[in-house]
Amino acid sequence: MMYDKTKKIALEEHFATEEFMEDVKPWFIKEGPEVWERAKATITDISGKRLELMDEAGIEKTILSLSSPTIQCILDPAKAIDSAKRVNEYLADSIRDHKDRFEAFAALPTQSPEAAIEELHRCIEEYGFKGALINGFCQIGDPDVPVYLDDPRYIPFWEEVEKTGYPVYLHPRTTVEPVRKAEFDGQTWMATAAWGWHCQTGTQVLRLIGSGIFDRCPNLQLVIGHMGELLPMFLWRTTNRVSTHKRECKAELPINQYFLRNITITTSANCSTPALMCAMMEMSTDRIMFSTDYPYDSMKQSADWFDNIPFSDLDKAKMGYENAKRLFRL
Ligand code: ZN
């Protein structure tokens, strides 16, 4: 099997609408006002410059998702339900004429598990979306209290996700303010993409595993980005520790087994060959997919790195596009 570098599929790729501009502004504005001015056009663009960059990077297809934290940080469930519906409709309309290049993940109002189930089904059935992307925990009413996806209220939600046969992409967001303050005050550089987002998302993945949801739903598929949100490097230690100190962990299998059955990672915004080798050795190339995290990171940089990694054509084809085709039935 030859690796075709023009056929890549990327699936942690974000857009925003005017409604959510204030949510995404902090990530750009810290680079300077002119960066934010340029970024506004970049993040709202779907089929203009984005398509040119996809061509340049050899990305044949992109699965689009609403940026972080957006729906998940809306405190009022009714407003979250309404916003998710509108943004999913907008996305479906925006890609309708470009189905050869774009697919989509639904944004879900996780503030209401029942509404999230309904919206997931609606987006798959009416629009042909390929699952959902959720920006981690949500808050309901109180901004200081995170509601994690391993809460028992989400059991019916995960059962429905399993039935659809499509994965959920679990994406980072900044932790709640009291935790952010306790951990990162005076070191704000660590709070987001340099560290905080990723260990927080890794924690949520382990919470899901520890809740036993993957034992209840053995076919449930979760996707996580950034080369596995720090987890592959630590898998032996976590697995070994739980085998001797199980405490309230409800997982029936050794922890590392879920990374071979229920979890697939992407290379989004983590172009490290040593990190990729670690993930390959823990999870195999069947469980790794290319992605770029555009527009927060560069499609070209990710593509140039990936096209030149010193692995076999078979492994590059799997990670570059074959795994995504299979997982999302593209
Ligand atoms: Zn992202």
Side-chain angles (χ1 to χ4, degrees), residues 12 14 171 226 293:
E12 195 194 305
H14 309 300
H171 187 274
H226 314 104
D293 213 354

Side-chain angles (χ1 to χ4, degrees), residues 237-270:
R237 165 80 167 156
T238 305
T239 306
N240 180 62
R241 199 65 185 172
V242 176
S243 73
T244 54
H245 298 69
K246 197 160 166 57
R247 296 178 180 152
E248 68 277 76
C249 179
K250 297 195 188 79
E252 288 167 12
L253 303 174
I255 300 296
N256 57 4
Q257 295 305 300
Y258 300 97
F259 288 76
L260 303 174
R261 189 184 75 179
N262 303 98
I263 294 167
T264 309
I265 70 170
T266 73
T267 66
S268 60
N270 193 344

Side-chain angles (χ1 to χ4, degrees), residues 135-202:
N135 292 306
F137 64 89
C138 67
Q139 297 113 307
I140 304 169
D142 186 344
D144 289 347
V145 178
V147 180
Y148 292 112
L149 292 160
D150 60 286
D151 189 284
R153 77 186 80 179
Y154 292 109
I155 290 172
F157 169 75
W158 290 118
E159 288 172 341
E160 283 302 313
V161 172
E162 183 189 36
K163 277 186 214 154
T164 69
Y166 285 115
V168 159
Y169 201 122
L170 185 66
H171 187 274
R173 60 173 293 197
T174 307
T175 188
V176 290
E177 183 55 18
V179 179
R180 192 210 59 75
K181 198 166 162 27
E183 293 203 340
F184 303 118
D185 246 15
Q187 300 274 5
T188 53
W189 64 274
M190 291 173 65
T192 57
W195 183 254
W197 283 350
H198 307 298
C199 60
Q200 209 272 332
T201 308

Side-chain angles (χ1 to χ4, degrees), residues 84-94 96 119 122-123 127 129:
K85 271 196 185 125
R86 279 187 288 109
V87 88
N88 289 327
E89 187 180 358
Y90 171 84
L91 182 54
D93 286 344
S94 303
R96 192 159 284 130
E119 185 62 6
R122 191 181 77 81
C123 288
Y127 304 141
F129 284 8

Side-chain angles (χ1 to χ4, degrees), residues 49-61:
K49 180 81 178 163
R50 188 185 296 260
L51 267 179
E52 279 173 39
L53 293 172
M54 283 166 63
D55 289 340
E56 190 191 355
I59 296 169
E60 186 174 65
K61 207 154 212 188

